[in-house]
Amino acid sequence: MERRRAAFWNSGGPGERRPGTETMGIFYLNVGSVRRSAGRRAVVAAAYCSRSKLDDEGLGREVDFSSLSDLEHSEILLPLGAPDRWLDRTVLWNEIENVEERENAQLAREIELVLSKDLAIDEGVKLAREFLLEQFVQRGMIVDFNIHRTQGADGARRGYVQALFSMREVCGEGFGKKRTDWKETKLLLNWRERWAQLSNIHLRETGRDRMIGAGPSAARGRALEPLLGGREYEAENHELGWRNGERLAAEPGLALEALTREGGTFSRGELAEFVKGNTGGDEQFKMALARVEASVDLVRLPDGEGFSTRKLMGSVAGAGANGSGSGREAGAMGGGDSGRTLREAVTLWEAAGLRVRGVGLTYELAKKFEKTTAIKSVAVHGLLGRWQKKRELLASNDVLVVNDVAEMSEKQKEWMLKAARAVAAKLVLVDGEEFVEIDGGDIGLNAAQLVALRGREGSQGKPKRRLW
């Protein structure tokens, strides 16, 4: 592990734009926390991020993630005034555990960043270090900084930064009070903007084009971590399960892909068992299971007892059209909405903890849509105006339901699609009684979605109006 004491320098705050460094998109940046209420431990989280063995004084044993072999870089960044003993990861995180007395204490925060696949190892380290020093260490936080290199959703190998940072200010030779200002939403927005700026700067300095948007898809699609064998690994497996559960909640398709790897169908019991084995605690299990069950890609089979995926059922439907599949199987696909009504879909989304928001062509039409569907709705010009002022921005747990989409301008539709994809929100297009769901994590639309967006033909061969 490289050990480093950070110095301070001025490299431009989040609001300062250097010439030619305009942001081209918000790249993947996610912030979470290590909480005792979720059964997690700071020492265990640090051992996972650093792929190392650490002595956890609270557990009375070593925790060991050294079998994970994707570590590319590891170091601890200390602010000025912090004691040198905190350059030892075991000392640092055991002290952070010990200073927190509450049973439900928040022990640390963590940040995950995605490096462009075009950056070499040393270039990625330089970029991540500059960002972490400027945005965290300079504010007084201690940062445990690690980079792993593994395969993303698009098949490319790239670096993933996982960093833990302290929540208490440095006070003499120990820790002082917790800093609540480090958790402000405004800071998160600044971090995202600055990460995009610095990524573009470093890519240009290395002779590469600026990233137009690594986006959420680059971070997603990584395989779930296999659990370690044996009861002696209970703490390690809880940490692995927690991280797998966070991935399942953000990307339910990981569960569906795993369940259909050996066969095309599965039961609800098998689904629940899989999610249970890849989550950390009942609260996360319920959330992840609800997210998977609300997935647009989950299809209930006609017998009502089994499930499959939209992708597999689409293949069966295609085979049926060519005479090699049954009409019963083909009918199970149920189109882009899996046969659900909009109200049923809203119920599932809300049960999964998603926030459903509506938008209409005008204020009057938005309020009419809200009255009909009970989805709180605004006019499209008002929504985009708020976004320009960085208000009411989409988040990854949002479902944006767009009514009157066929009447909206290409610019309006482009903004909404880009906004959904920037944070992997779900976009839903409504045309009368029909609706089409688009996963905001998709890099592009599949054939069925393109048909739905560009105008499908009705049962009598008459073209439907263009949605997109």
Side-chain angles (χ1 to χ4, degrees):
M1 178 186 75
E2 182 180 344
R3 298 178 176 181
R4 175 179 296 266
R5 176 173 293 279
F8 293 99
W9 70 88
N10 294 319
S11 55
E16 180 180 335
R17 295 181 183 269
R18 302 176 189 175
T21 64
E22 62 273 15
T23 301
M24 296 297 289
I26 297 176
F27 311 131
Y28 185 84
L29 182 155
N30 187 55
V31 177
S33 62
V34 179
R35 295 174 289 118
R36 281 188 183 145
S37 59
R40 300 182 68 199
R41 298 186 59 79
V43 178
V44 179
Y48 170 83
C49 291
S50 61
R51 306 301 200 242
S52 63
K53 290 183 184 180
L54 297 180
D55 182 28
D56 188 322
E57 296 172 1
L59 291 176
R61 69 171 179 87
E62 274 190 335
V63 289
D64 185 7
F65 289 96
S66 59
S67 61
L68 302 177
S69 58
D70 58 353
L71 183 68
E72 199 168 72
H73 179 83
S74 183
E75 65 177 303
I76 289 176
L77 304 172
L78 296 182
L80 291 178
D84 287 340
R85 70 177 186 276
W86 288 342
L87 290 172
D88 184 319
R89 186 171 275 120
T90 296
V91 173
L92 170 65
W93 292 108
N94 274 294
E95 286 195 26
I96 285 176
E97 283 275 4
N98 294 334
V99 78
E100 300 295 347
E101 298 179 353
R102 292 169 50 201
E103 292 183 359
N104 63 344
Q106 193 174 84
L107 303 168
R109 299 199 80 192
E110 56 185 335
I111 189 168
E112 184 177 18
L113 307 163
V114 177
L115 297 168
S116 168
K117 64 181 183 295
D118 293 325
L119 290 174
I121 294 174
D122 60 332
E123 295 166 347
V125 170
K126 182 181 177 183
L127 163 61
R129 184 186 290 135
E130 180 179 350
F131 174 73
L132 294 172
L133 287 169
E134 175 191 285
Q135 297 297 317
F136 298 88
V137 181
Q138 190 166 323
R139 286 188 167 91
M141 304 179 208
I142 302 165
V143 179
D144 189 341
F145 160 36
N146 305 274
I147 297 179
H148 314 139
R149 185 165 293 270
T150 187
Q151 184 169 302
D154 57 0
R157 289 183 62 81
R158 53 168 56 83
Y160 295 85
V161 178
Q162 286 189 316
L164 296 175
F165 52 95
S166 59
M167 301 184 64
R168 290 183 178 271
E169 62 183 18
V170 177
C171 184
E173 287 295 302
F175 289 103
K177 66 179 182 179
K178 276 194 173 177
R179 294 285 299 272
T180 57
D181 55 319
W182 289 347
K183 298 192 293 182
E184 292 179 357
T185 302
K186 183 179 179 181
L187 266 184
L188 176 59
L189 297 176
N190 289 344
W191 292 337
R192 284 179 169 160
E193 180 181 6
R194 187 59 175 158
W195 177 243
Q197 291 173 345
L198 285 177
S199 296
N200 288 331
I201 291 169
H202 279 255
L203 281 166
R204 188 161 51 248
E205 287 176 349
T206 57
R208 297 170 176 87
D209 292 334
R210 288 179 295 175
M211 295 195 302
I212 296 177
S217 300
R220 295 180 161 198
R222 287 177 291 161
L224 300 176
E225 300 272 13
L227 303 187
L228 304 177
R231 290 186 176 181
E232 67 271 22
Y233 291 108
E234 181 180 356
E236 288 91 336
N237 284 335
H238 184 84
E239 181 70 17
L240 291 170
W242 171 265
R243 291 179 181 277
N244 285 344
E246 290 294 282
R247 290 183 188 176
L248 288 177
E251 190 183 6
L254 287 172
L256 303 181
E257 180 183 344
L259 287 163
T260 55
R261 195 168 292 138
E262 300 298 328
T265 64
F266 52 90
S267 67
R268 189 182 187 279
E270 290 171 326
L271 172 60
E273 182 181 2
F274 177 84
V275 175
K276 184 73 173 177
N278 285 282
T279 47
D282 288 341
E283 181 181 347
Q284 192 189 47
F285 163 68
K286 292 175 183 177
M287 174 61 70
L289 181 62
R291 291 280 176 91
V292 175
E293 290 183 321
S295 171
V296 62
D297 292 315
L298 184 67
V299 176
R300 184 181 294 274
L301 298 178
D303 59 15
E305 298 180 0
F307 296 91
S308 187
T309 66
R310 184 171 57 170
K311 180 179 179 181
L312 286 177
M313 296 310 296
S315 300
V316 171
N322 293 323
S324 55
S326 71
R328 181 174 180 268
E329 290 173 321
M333 182 180 176
D337 58 7
S338 302
R340 292 176 293 182
T341 67
L342 182 58
R343 283 187 176 274
E344 290 171 339
V346 169
T347 300
L348 283 171
W349 296 328
E350 291 179 340
L354 302 179
R355 179 177 62 170
V356 184
R357 303 165 59 178
V359 58
L361 183 63
T362 64
Y363 175 82
E364 291 76 13
L365 291 173
K367 291 305 164 186
K368 182 178 179 181
F369 182 64
E370 180 177 320
K371 186 175 181 180
T372 303
T373 62
I375 300 172
K376 187 172 178 59
S377 304
V378 297
V380 64
H381 65 274
L383 177 68
L384 299 182
R386 292 181 179 92
W387 287 356
Q388 287 178 323
K389 297 176 182 177
K390 295 187 177 181
R391 292 168 47 201
E392 300 180 25
L393 298 174
L394 289 179
S396 59
N397 65 329
D398 277 335
V399 180
L400 184 63
V401 182
V402 185
N403 195 31
D404 317 308
V405 66
E407 309 300 329
M408 293 181 185
S409 71
E410 295 299 317
K411 188 69 173 178
Q412 290 170 334
K413 292 183 284 190
E414 181 184 0
W415 281 358
M416 287 186 285
L417 185 59
K418 285 184 177 180
R421 288 194 174 148
V423 295
K426 188 184 292 293
L427 188 66
V428 179
L429 311 179
V430 180
D431 181 27
E433 295 297 319
E434 296 185 340
F435 68 97
V436 178
E437 300 179 44
I438 302 172
D439 183 349
D442 288 343
I443 295 174
L445 304 184
N446 61 36
Q449 290 170 334
L450 285 172
V451 170
L453 295 176
R454 291 174 179 169
R456 295 168 289 184
E457 289 195 358
S459 58
Q460 304 302 318
K462 297 179 180 178
K464 297 188 67 177
R465 60 178 180 162
R466 178 189 174 99
L467 291 180
W468 205 268

